Amino acid sequence: MLWTRLISRLFKEAKPYLQVRDDFKHARISHQYALLLMGHEQGDKKIVEPAVILHDVGWSCLDLQQIAQAYGVRAGGLEAMELNRIHEVQGALIARRILQALDYDAVSTDQITRIVERHDSGTEIATVEEGLVKDADKLWRFSQIGFWKEVERQQVGAEELYRHLDKHLRTWFFSLTARELAEKELRRRAQEMHQVRLGPVRDPCS
Ligand SMILES: [Fe+2]
Ligand SMILES: [Fe+2]
């Protein structure tokens, strides 16, 4: 199968599993970041692209209340960690089923599912590819669409989310490219917040 066709097929297969948390755009934008990162940091696209597209399919095994508890600025505690682990572990099982149905090669499938299974936990990475997937996933929160989407879905103020991202900026990322991108995006979010505070520009002649 042509690579571009396989990527479209993976998005199509992932889509139903991404609907619970409205994650399709998250997968799309994280995939775009993954491509950008690979341009600077190398990494095997046969691992990175499927892993980033499929990484959040496991949220489909939780309901909205559990997801809200497991994820976000205010998530914390043992229960949140356990729920978060469910989305990783179940996600890896779903990802394996999708890849096997597409006859994806077994060695790559193992590597991809290992990344999905630990994409949100642990501070160590086993491979460059794992680091790139984790970085691309986190970069979503710094992107314009991702930042304002998270404000809405986590029901937090933009300032609170901004402070959270600023606090984690120095520890979340494995690649320098991702960290620099996040810094640049966060400066843009600060400008947008400033605009929101000022409100629309009034015409002095009216
Ligand atoms: Fe996730
Ligand atoms: Fe994610």
Side-chain angles (χ1 to χ4, degrees):
M1 201 187 289
L2 269 177
W3 186 250
T4 48
R5 198 184 283 177
L6 178 83
I7 294 303
S8 307
R9 186 72 194 276
L10 283 174
F11 273 115
K12 194 173 163 224
E13 297 298 326
K15 199 170 188 177
Y17 297 99
L18 296 173
Q19 272 165 353
V20 180
R21 205 179 70 130
D22 191 17
D23 267 329
F24 193 69
K25 213 166 249 177
H26 167 45
R28 281 268 186 220
I29 288 177
S30 296
H31 178 242
Q32 287 301 313
Y33 277 126
L35 295 178
L36 196 63
L37 293 178
M38 278 193 290
H40 292 87
E41 304 279 343
Q42 316 309 323
D44 184 351
K45 72 175 185 178
K46 272 180 68 198
I47 307 301
V48 173
E49 291 191 57
V52 82
I53 293 166
L54 298 171
H55 79 278
D56 267 340
V57 292
W59 286 124
S60 61
C61 298
L62 298 171
D63 62 36
L64 281 175
Q65 206 185 339
Q66 290 172 315
I67 291 170
Q69 224 178 323
Y71 171 86
V73 175
R74 293 175 187 165
L78 198 61
E79 200 169 343
M81 264 173 63
E82 283 171 5
L83 289 167
N84 201 282
R85 277 301 286 150
I86 292 172
H87 104 280
E88 292 180 313
V89 173
Q90 293 300 319
L93 295 173
I94 296 166
R96 180 175 292 281
R97 280 208 302 273
I98 291 173
L99 292 165
Q100 283 175 343
L102 293 171
D103 274 333
Y104 209 67
D105 87 81
V107 176
S108 302
T109 298
D110 284 346
Q111 290 179 43
I112 292 161
T113 52
R114 206 172 306 136
I115 293 174
V116 173
E117 198 266 329
R118 42 186 280 160
H119 75 267
D120 216 11
S121 55
T123 50
E124 305 282 312
I125 49 167
T127 59
V128 174
E129 287 75 20
E130 185 185 345
L132 295 181
V133 173
K134 287 184 169 190
D135 283 357
D137 180 25
K138 293 282 192 304
L139 275 168
W140 147 264
R141 304 172 194 188
F142 295 80
S143 70
Q144 185 180 42
I145 292 176
F147 180 87
W148 293 104
K149 171 81 182 168
E150 293 299 338
V151 164
E152 183 198 313
R153 85 166 151 198
Q154 292 183 41
Q155 305 267 295
V156 291
E159 282 82 5
E160 187 178 354
L161 181 58
Y162 179 91
R163 282 196 302 274
H164 177 77
L165 297 180
D166 188 48
K167 184 176 139 196
H168 291 287
L169 185 61
R170 277 153 288 277
T171 54
W172 269 349
F173 295 102
F174 295 94
S175 69
L176 184 62
T177 309
R179 189 174 145 176
E180 286 175 354
L181 263 172
E183 282 168 355
K184 206 197 289 177
E185 288 294 345
L186 204 55
R187 282 197 294 274
R188 291 184 183 144
R189 301 299 79 79
Q191 285 168 4
E192 288 159 11
M193 283 160 53
H194 186 62
Q195 286 301 322
V196 170
R197 271 196 299 270
L198 289 179
V201 180
R202 226 184 287 153
D203 181 355
C205 302
S206 64

